[in-house]
Amino acid sequence: TTQVELRGEGYLEFALEVFDSTFTTAKAKSEYPLTLPINSDLYMQASVDTEDSDMSLAIVNVKATTSATDSEDYAGPIHYIWKDGCKDDTTAAAIPQSSDDPKKERFKFKVFKFVTSDDNIYIHATVK
């Protein structure tokens, strides 16, 4: 979860969470790091928490790295799941919502590991 301060406007809280396949239960912080079988589906949701009915969220990039921090200086392996607003991973899929909430975007992709590293994998998202 990230909070962004908008000058004179307040705070927006963004979240990128792992869910079960029905999107009823998000994984608790105490469950991390997750250990998942390779090629199993990983269900995620990006969201913004706001009472502004005109607010909407769109995914720009979702990428996996071996760093907990998303930094331009990062030099390790990177795998894009979404890039420039489009699906980049062949196993990725957008998941429609029954409520059609414009403040949430849901997707899934297959669990993988980097061939060059046994480190934990961290998922980073850029939204607009």
Side-chain angles (χ1 to χ4, degrees):
T1 303
T2 301
Q3 288 188 346
V4 178
E5 182 178 356
L6 298 176
R7 207 168 288 202
E9 298 290 329
Y11 287 93
L12 293 174
E13 187 169 293
F14 295 90
L16 181 63
E17 299 173 287
V18 175
F19 275 81
D20 61 11
S21 62
T22 62
F23 286 91
T24 54
T25 307
K27 298 292 183 185
K29 288 182 181 182
S30 61
E31 297 180 78
Y32 290 88
L34 299 174
T35 302
L36 302 168
I38 299 294
N39 279 330
S40 63
D41 286 328
L42 182 64
Y43 296 87
M44 300 195 77
Q45 175 177 278
S47 62
V48 59
D49 185 16
T50 177
E51 294 179 15
D52 184 347
S53 60
D54 294 329
M55 178 71 69
S56 64
L57 179 134
I59 292 175
V60 178
N61 294 318
V62 176
K63 65 183 176 183
T65 72
T66 57
S67 173
T69 306
D70 189 15
S71 166
E72 290 184 18
D73 298 332
Y74 174 74
I78 297 175
H79 175 71
Y80 280 91
I81 293 115
W82 248 258
K83 190 170 185 179
D84 299 325
C86 298
K87 181 179 83 155
D88 201 57
D89 180 308
T90 59
T91 71
I95 298 177
Q97 307 168 56
S98 58
S99 65
D100 198 29
D101 186 343
K103 299 173 199 159
K104 296 178 182 175
E105 289 286 340
R106 294 176 173 173
F107 58 96
K108 70 176 183 174
F109 60 94
K110 297 285 186 188
V111 172
F112 68 94
K113 70 177 245 169
F114 289 112
V115 175
T116 58
S117 173
D118 284 329
D119 293 340
N120 287 338
I121 294 176
Y122 298 87
I123 307 297
H124 309 279
T126 304
V127 296
K128 65 176 183 177

